[in-house]
């Protein structure tokens, strides 16, 4: 790992926690949990479900939730504009809607809140930043794993480990961006963790050369099996366990490049390594390599016990997927391209990236052998 990347990782993920033995954590918590007794509550206290109900009532009302989003965006933009680094545009609040009374009612309730930290002060600019693409989520609901063998069938106490996956930006490899967030059970293995991570490389269509020397792509071909991977946790490499184990390949590569990095191959392959057998650090980026040189950084966000409110099956869950950043259309250069077209003699290049409108304007291809690949229908990225 070069010094630049090391600096990025340290500044992006913060100091890592102490080592947490996942198996011991589950055992310790399971041994200490006592039957829950309803605490005695005073009339001034609120139960959590009462607060949830009040929040849901507001959040499920499209008019009120839109009002809250707009006012929050505006107050944040005002705070950022007041600072030196502030370049955000101040959004205009739309005209009062027909139901202005309900909005006023909500605002007067919010104004009554006595908590001094409720309203954002100008100091908040230091701790907040404008939204990024990686804060957005293409999923409208939690996605369960559909592999039948990746289900939780045991009633044993388990921990849920929330982890995020980060990839280098295509235009600056030393910067990372979050690509997805997942939840996995402590009884599941590193292979289950690998399988749930979406990657552009897995969705690349198969390439072939036609008789006249043009490059073609097989669209909608069945997904190929993984060509192997290695996950490195504290200088121990967990490989795929295949004939040409990726951990062996990586060790060989380190030897040929005279790297000073010490990497030991783990005693068990990833498929036989449950997370409960590992000791992990929160906020520590763990490195994963596959498809030759495709890198992902896995960061444990938090570890907690599985609760009755968690889904019973379907782990590992996918909680968030960052929307893909699309290249601009080569024809109009204004709209993000959604198609990659190969072998069309009317276009100056192959593949050529086009938006939907520009491709429709082109009409039907005049020759055979034209392939149209959807850039947004990538494996794992369609919700
Ligand atoms: Zn990848
Ligand atoms: Zn276009």
């Amino acid at each position: 790992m070069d010094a630049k990347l090391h600096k990025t990782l340290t500044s992006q993920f913060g100091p890592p926690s102490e080592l947490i033995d996942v198996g011991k954590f589950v055992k310790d918590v399971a041994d200490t949990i006592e039957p829950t007794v309803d605490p005695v509550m005073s009339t001034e206290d609120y139960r959590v479900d009462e607060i949830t109900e009040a929040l849901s009532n507001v959040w499920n009302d499209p008019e009120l939730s839109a009002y809250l989003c707009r006012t929050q965006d505006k107050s944040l933009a005002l705070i950022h504009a007041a600072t030196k680094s502030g370049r955000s545009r101040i959004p205009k609040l739309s005209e009062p809607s027909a139901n202005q009374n309900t909005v006023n009612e909500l605002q007067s309730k919010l104004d009554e809140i006595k908590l001094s930290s409720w309203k954002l002060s100008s100091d908040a600019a230091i701790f907040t930043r404008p939204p990024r693409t990686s804060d957005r989520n293409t999923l409208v609901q939690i996605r369960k794993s559909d592999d039948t063998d990746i289900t939780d069938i045991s009633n044993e106490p388990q921990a849920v480990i929330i982890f995020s996956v980060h990839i280098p930006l295509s235009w600056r490899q030393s910067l990372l961006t979050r690509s997805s967030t997942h939840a996995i059970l402590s009884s599941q293995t590193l292979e289950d963790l690998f399988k749930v991570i979406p990657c552009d490389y897995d969705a690349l269509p198969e390439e072939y050369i036609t008789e006249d020397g043009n490059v073609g792509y097989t669209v909608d071909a069945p997904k190929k099996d993984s060509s192997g991977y290695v996950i490195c946790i504290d200088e121990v490499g967990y490989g795929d366990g295949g004939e040409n184990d990726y951990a062996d390949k990586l060790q060989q590569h380190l030897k040929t490049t005279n790297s000073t990095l010490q990497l030991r191959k783990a005693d068990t392959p990833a498929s036989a390594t449950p997370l409960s057998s590992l000791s992990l650090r929160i906020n520590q980026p763990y490195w994963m390599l596959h498809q030759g040189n495709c890198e992902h950084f896995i960061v444990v966000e938090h570890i907690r016990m599985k609760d009755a409110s968690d889904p019973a099956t379907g782990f590992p869950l996918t909680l968030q997927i960052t929307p893909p950043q699309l290249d601009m259309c080569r024809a109009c250069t204004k709209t993000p391209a959604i198609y990659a077209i190969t072998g069309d003699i009317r276009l100056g290049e192959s593949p050529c990236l086009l938006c939907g409108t520009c491709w429709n304007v082109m009409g039907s291809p005049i020759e055979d052998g034209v392939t149209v690949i959807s850039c947004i229908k990538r494996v794992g990225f369609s919700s």
Side-chain angles (χ1 to χ4, degrees), residues 167 194 197-202 288 290-291 294-296:
I167 49 170
F194 163 75
I197 296 174
C199 175
D200 281 2
Y201 277 87
D202 292 333
M288 189 194 97
H290 73 136
Q291 296 280 9
C294 183
E295 301 176 294
H296 298 250

Side-chain angles (χ1 to χ4, degrees), residues 329-335 354-358:
C329 169
R330 296 286 285 164
C332 63
T333 66
K334 285 189 171 56
T335 317
L354 289 184
C355 71
T357 314
C358 289

Side-chain angles (χ1 to χ4, degrees), residues 221-282:
K223 200 184 164 193
K224 283 185 291 182
D225 284 341
S226 154
S227 59
Y229 61 94
V230 59
I231 299 173
C232 296
I233 296 174
D234 293 332
E235 296 175 356
V236 181
Y238 295 85
D240 49 90
E243 208 176 305
N244 297 309
D245 195 309
Y246 242 67
D248 290 330
K249 286 183 192 168
L250 183 60
Q251 272 186 321
Q252 213 176 323
H253 173 75
L254 292 174
K255 227 179 259 174
T256 49
T257 53
N258 292 326
S259 170
T260 51
L261 199 77
Q262 298 293 321
L263 184 89
R264 184 173 68 79
K265 188 185 169 186
D267 302 330
T268 50
S271 56
T273 311
L275 287 141
S276 55
S277 70
L278 298 170
S279 288
L280 301 169
R281 288 178 205 272
I282 291 169

Side-chain angles (χ1 to χ4, degrees), residues 48-63:
V48 172
D49 48 6
E50 284 178 54
I51 299 170
T52 315
E53 199 185 321
L55 286 174
S56 307
N57 285 345
V58 174
W59 202 241
N60 292 338
D61 184 319
E63 223 153 21

